[in-house]
Amino acid sequence: MRYRTLDPKLIIDTAERLEGRVADRFPNAGLRGVAGELVSLSRDLAKAAKALEEPIWWLRGLIIAAFVAGVLVFVFVGTILPLDRISGNDDALQSVQGIEASINTCILAVLGLLALIRTEERIKRKKVFRQLHGLRSLIHVIDMHQLTKDPATLSANFKPTAHSPARITNAADLARYLDYCSEMLSITGKIAALFAQSVNDDVVIDGVNDIENLSSNLSRKIWQKITLIENHPAALPVPTPSLASPAAPLPPRAPKR
């Protein structure tokens, strides 16, 4: 079962390791703060997803109490307060109406009980979407940080304007920056999947799939930039000249006498 479920601790460890890598390579970049926020959010959402696995005991106690109260009411009507005390024995029409009203009451009671049972799902669903809203916002923040990281800045013909943002002009650093953004987006998708693992609800699963699709689409856009950087002449390795000098041609041999 180890590889059939997501381990929140391993996801948090991966986010912490990524934060350290960003801090080592880009200590003054705003992406470092985003990585720290991802670690904090992963811890909070892991706890929230774990808490949703537990049943809401006070609500289940309320459902049981409502069920017992309904049963007692029917017992009271059927035994202590029989129909022959309300209407005469010869009044068949009133008896039929009483039976019909009892059947309708039973149907409404069952529907009300089912509504109470599904209340727990609705409460958990609302909590999940409240947490996913913060995760979705962080995904857009990550996308904003990679927005100005354009491979076109590596070209010798690129001329910045007065309002151009600070650029990364080194091809290797630019590729690593974008790769860190892609890894962050991947981690957000795994954090969202914790809620689908904790709450078995179709609506929750659809919401988690939306988060994963959003992060995957943005990550795909980032990898298109990385591919352009890898194919750029500035990122290609410079061939080193060979240390061995070409061999000098041998002098012609003298003719034999």
Side-chain angles (χ1 to χ4, degrees), residues 74 104-114:
F74 281 108
N104 293 334
T105 304
C106 291
I107 294 175
L108 293 176
V110 172
L111 294 177
L113 181 62
L114 293 177

Side-chain angles (χ1 to χ4, degrees), residues 9-58:
K9 183 178 182 303
L10 296 180
I11 296 177
I12 296 173
D13 292 341
T14 303
E16 291 176 347
R17 193 178 303 112
L18 178 59
E19 180 191 12
R21 292 164 56 199
V22 175
D24 292 339
R25 194 175 293 270
F26 304 104
N28 299 322
L31 191 65
R32 180 181 180 182
V34 179
E37 185 64 25
L38 179 62
V39 173
S40 177
L41 188 62
S42 62
R43 292 171 180 167
D44 295 339
L45 296 189
K47 293 179 180 178
K50 185 65 178 179
L52 290 174
E53 295 180 0
E54 299 295 329
I56 305 177
W57 294 112
W58 65 267

Side-chain angles (χ1 to χ4, degrees), residues 52-155:
L52 290 174
E53 295 180 0
E54 299 295 329
I56 305 177
W57 294 112
W58 65 267
L59 181 59
R60 295 194 176 187
L62 179 62
I63 294 173
I64 294 174
F67 177 76
V68 172
V71 171
L72 293 177
V73 169
F74 281 108
V75 171
F76 173 77
V77 173
T79 58
I80 301 177
L81 191 64
L83 293 177
D84 56 359
R85 297 186 181 181
I86 301 176
S87 61
N89 295 329
D90 298 332
D91 195 351
L93 180 60
Q94 291 187 5
S95 299
V96 172
Q97 290 178 350
I99 294 173
E100 183 182 1
S102 301
I103 294 175
N104 293 334
T105 304
C106 291
I107 294 175
L108 293 176
V110 172
L111 294 177
L113 181 62
L114 293 177
L116 285 175
I117 293 174
R118 295 185 63 87
T119 301
E120 182 174 356
E121 296 180 1
R122 291 195 294 269
I123 292 176
K124 289 186 176 182
R125 186 185 303 166
K126 186 176 181 179
K127 291 181 179 180
V128 168
F129 281 101
R130 188 182 300 116
Q131 302 294 340
L132 292 181
H133 178 72
L135 192 61
R136 185 187 297 271
S137 299
L138 182 62
I139 289 175
H140 287 290
V141 171
I142 297 173
D143 182 56
M144 287 296 297
H145 277 77
Q146 67 85 28
L147 192 62
T148 57
K149 306 305 180 288
D150 193 351
T153 58
L154 302 176
S155 177

